[in-house]
Amino acid sequence: MAISTRELLLVLRARDEASRVIKSAAGAISSVSAASAQAAQKQIAAGAAMTTVGVGVAYAGLAAIRFLDDATDAAIEYNRQSALTLTQVDKVGVSIKTIKDIGKDVAAQVPTDFKKIQTSLYDIFSSMDVTIPQAKSLLTEFSKASVAGQVELQDASRATIGIMNAYGMAATEVNHVNDVMFQLVRKGVGTYGEFATTIGRAVPSAVRAGQSIETLAGMMAFLTRNGLSAAMASASAGR
């Protein structure tokens, strides 16, 4: 059946209107898709940020746990060493708290290795007849010598204890022995550590021969200045 001109115009108008509606809807859908994509991107970024924060908090928590574990282990070990030191104390009424406080007080004054403090305090009480104040004074001076001589605290303390015991010195003479040792380092050829770990080989012979610690130190300084090592100088002085 033939279509009249009027009907044809109505069909064309309906087609154009439908085309405009479809294009408008497509544009709206595109806008919605873009907004959704932006929202999704924001959510992803926020999630990544929260994940980063969460990881950081987790690492901080692990670090705190490790620190607490290390601190607990160190406290347990210090208590054990303090109890061991107490077994060498002959004085009545001395508690483990007193022993622990000596180490803490010395560590607060001198930047020495805290882990080695009770070991040296053990050496003091086990090899010298001293009071609590004298032990603390000795430990302080040994700690200063170890820091100045850049050696282990035990090396400094045992060398000085050996000299003081061999010569029958009182605890108050510790500074004099340290002065002699550092003069030996200054005048001789060798480090404090080298002299501290070897001079003990010559001390008994020097005592038997009636020679002072100053004479022994002077002999070792002379020998090291003439080519001998600290160990060889100690052996030669002993002979």
Side-chain angles (χ1 to χ4, degrees):
M1 182 177 64
I3 300 177
S4 66
T5 302
R6 181 172 178 278
E7 290 175 336
L8 180 61
L9 289 173
L10 289 173
V11 170
L12 292 174
R13 183 180 298 173
R15 186 198 65 183
D16 292 343
E17 186 67 24
S19 178
R20 283 194 299 271
V21 170
I22 290 172
K23 288 180 179 179
S24 177
I29 291 172
S30 297
S31 298
V32 170
S33 298
S36 298
Q38 291 179 359
Q41 289 294 334
K42 289 181 180 180
Q43 290 296 326
I44 291 171
M50 290 303 293
T51 300
T52 301
V53 171
V55 171
V57 170
Y59 276 121
L62 289 173
I65 291 171
R66 282 196 295 270
F67 172 78
L68 290 174
D69 285 344
D70 291 344
T72 301
D73 291 342
I76 292 172
E77 178 60 19
Y78 187 72
N79 286 337
R80 185 192 69 79
Q81 292 181 352
S82 298
L84 187 61
T85 301
L86 185 61
T87 64
Q88 302 301 307
V89 181
D90 294 328
K91 310 302 178 187
V92 178
V94 178
S95 66
I96 189 171
K97 182 180 183 303
T98 302
I99 299 300
K100 290 165 61 176
D101 288 345
I102 291 174
K104 293 176 182 178
D105 291 344
V106 172
Q109 298 177 47
V110 186
T112 190
D113 187 354
F114 184 70
K115 295 179 181 179
K116 305 296 176 61
I117 279 184
Q118 283 299 329
T119 303
S120 290
L121 196 57
Y122 178 95
D123 289 340
I124 291 171
F125 281 118
S126 66
S127 57
M128 305 180 77
D129 184 16
V130 293
T131 64
I132 293 298
Q134 288 173 334
K136 183 177 180 179
S137 175
L138 287 169
L139 183 61
T140 301
E141 297 307 319
F142 295 161
S143 299
K144 291 178 180 178
S146 73
V147 173
Q150 299 182 26
V151 297
E152 294 285 343
L153 175 56
Q154 195 170 54
D155 290 339
S157 60
R158 288 186 174 179
T160 310
I161 289 172
I163 292 171
M164 295 179 68
N165 283 342
Y167 282 98
M169 295 180 176
T172 53
E173 297 180 81
V174 61
N175 287 329
H176 175 66
V177 176
N178 282 340
D179 288 342
V180 172
M181 288 296 295
F182 280 104
Q183 285 299 319
L184 171 55
V185 175
R186 186 165 161 273
K187 298 295 185 179
V189 179
T191 65
Y192 178 87
E194 291 170 339
F195 286 121
T197 54
T198 58
I199 193 171
R201 303 172 190 175
V203 168
S205 297
V207 173
R208 285 194 300 269
Q211 303 300 311
S212 66
I213 183 62
E214 291 85 356
T215 301
L216 174 59
M219 183 187 301
M220 291 187 62
F222 173 81
L223 292 172
T224 55
R225 287 171 74 107
N226 283 275
L228 297 185
S229 66
M232 293 175 65
S234 295
S236 296
R239 288 195 297 270

